[in-house]
Amino acid sequence: MVSVCFVTFTRNSGCWLRGLLDNVVDIVDEVVVVDGYSSDDTVEIAKSYGARVFQRKPRGYVEPDRMFAIRQCNNDWVLYLDTDERLNTRLRRDLKEIIDKAIKNNYSAVMINRYNYHIKSGNFIFDAGFPDPQIRIFNKYRVEYKGIIHEFPKVHGRIMKLAPEYAIIHLVNDLTPLNKKDVIYAYVERLDHTYKRSRLYSAFTHLKPFTILSAWVILYGYFTVRQLMARKPVNIVGLMNNLRVALYKHLALLLIVTRGRKLDRIANAINEHGLIKLLEHSEIT
């Protein structure tokens, strides 16, 4: 049966890492952890599970380190999870059979639905993005990451989509609108995302704060109405998350359309060449 490398990224993740490795260590053949110089017990926990740990300069988000992590894998097939994610029971049980099937049918990657679970309320988050499809199982020679935040990898070949019974569970603590992580991500998106400027939207974002608040409300309404029209399930934590995502999206778009020509050129260069390649070039030169 096929061998699998498990990859994750850490930065002071001791409170999450043990649960993650308990979830996967018995079904994979090697574990690679890319750590951002944690100051807690993250590295010690990783090594206690037999992981190979590589430390890299922390950037506040993991995307620039993805291709580096993949290159450290000795096996061709990779399973990637964040520290706050888990495989459900069925996916744990059938992981290698799924990969064997992908190989036999010449698939390059596997798409899995991710379900967000709110720890405090004990409920799944039925929001506008539910379910959230992710590519987390793949042949390392057939995927490419640019290093852009929230990106799906470029897959060279066919993608196998799993049935809804197979799932990644994302454990969510904070649904606070515009929490610290959202602000950081919005500023990163400002630097590495291109956006086709709309004159109407540009004008909208330059008007008074009340109008900006109105745009947030409109986005929230759009997400929620789209969810209802698609006849997706709805619950309170899902509506709360729609609110959070709407505010995040609006902040990110506001930062993008007001960023100026110099940052536009940087974003275009990142999208054309990939942040990972640009960083590697700058480190070489």
Side-chain angles (χ1 to χ4, degrees):
M1 193 168 280
V2 66
S3 296
V4 183
C5 177
F6 174 69
V7 169
T8 193
F9 301 87
T10 57
R11 168 72 172 165
N12 294 329
S13 308
C15 61
W16 292 102
L17 186 58
R18 198 178 297 278
L20 172 65
L21 294 178
D22 281 340
N23 182 245
V24 300
V25 73
D26 61 327
I27 58 171
V28 299
D29 301 278
E30 62 172 327
V31 177
V32 168
V33 173
V34 177
D35 180 70
Y37 288 97
S38 293
S39 58
D40 66 358
D41 58 352
T42 294
V43 172
E44 289 75 17
I45 291 172
K47 288 182 177 179
S48 74
Y49 282 83
R52 291 187 293 125
V53 179
F54 301 86
Q55 292 191 299
R56 301 264 285 179
K57 175 183 176 181
R59 303 181 190 276
Y61 62 113
V62 304
E63 279 78 359
D65 292 323
R66 280 183 173 159
M67 292 306 295
F68 170 83
I70 292 169
R71 287 197 296 267
Q72 310 316 310
C73 293
N74 293 318
N75 297 298
D76 292 353
W77 279 83
V78 176
L79 165 67
Y80 156 57
L81 295 175
D82 290 328
T83 54
D84 56 1
E85 295 174 335
R86 308 287 185 266
L87 303 181
N88 76 344
T89 302
R90 188 165 182 177
L91 185 50
R92 268 180 47 80
R93 184 193 69 196
D94 296 344
L95 176 68
K96 289 197 172 181
E97 289 181 12
I98 289 166
I99 296 174
D100 278 336
K101 182 179 177 181
I103 293 170
K104 289 175 183 175
N105 291 279
N106 197 30
Y107 287 104
S108 300
V110 180
M111 183 174 287
I112 314 155
N113 282 335
R114 182 174 69 170
Y115 300 97
N116 296 317
Y117 180 81
H118 187 229
I119 298 171
K120 187 175 180 180
S121 68
N123 291 302
F124 284 98
I125 301 172
F126 297 133
D127 60 4
F130 177 89
D132 180 20
Q134 297 283 328
I135 293 174
R136 297 301 185 82
I137 301 171
F138 50 82
N139 184 308
K140 70 177 184 180
Y141 297 111
R142 297 184 184 178
V143 299
E144 181 181 353
Y145 285 97
K146 286 185 174 183
I148 298 172
I149 203 162
H150 300 316
E151 74 172 320
F152 268 59
K154 180 179 180 181
V155 177
H156 302 282
R158 298 194 301 153
I159 299 172
M160 182 169 77
K161 296 181 180 179
L162 293 186
E165 292 79 13
Y166 295 104
I168 293 170
I169 309 302
H170 178 214
L171 304 173
V172 178
N173 263 331
D174 192 2
L175 293 180
T176 305
L178 216 59
N179 56 46
K180 181 180 178 180
K181 183 178 179 180
D182 286 343
V183 173
I184 292 171
Y185 279 18
Y187 269 86
V188 173
E189 193 165 326
R190 164 181 175 250
L191 293 173
D192 67 17
H193 276 240
T194 56
Y195 177 72
K196 189 174 181 180
R197 289 173 183 265
S198 157
R199 290 183 181 178
L200 178 61
Y201 192 85
S202 295
F204 203 46
T205 54
H206 281 86
L207 295 176
K208 27 179 149 173
F210 177 77
T211 308
I212 292 174
L213 179 62
S214 299
W216 171 31
V217 173
I218 290 168
L219 271 175
Y220 172 66
Y222 166 74
F223 289 144
T224 304
V225 169
R226 188 180 67 176
Q227 180 179 358
L228 294 171
M229 290 182 67
R231 297 183 179 180
K232 292 183 177 181
V234 181
N235 61 4
I236 294 297
V237 288
L239 294 175
M240 289 171 60
N241 204 49
N242 282 350
L243 194 66
R244 184 191 67 81
V245 172
L247 186 54
Y248 165 77
K249 289 289 187 184
H250 184 60
L251 175 62
L253 288 172
L254 176 63
L255 291 171
I256 289 170
V257 300
T258 59
R259 68 188 171 193
R261 294 183 183 277
K262 181 178 179 180
L263 293 182
D264 268 350
R265 289 195 295 270
I266 292 173
N268 287 330
I270 288 172
N271 276 267
E272 181 179 355
H273 303 290
L275 179 60
I276 291 170
K277 290 182 179 178
L278 289 174
L279 288 172
E280 288 176 346
H281 178 74
S282 67
E283 288 170 3
I284 292 170
T285 56

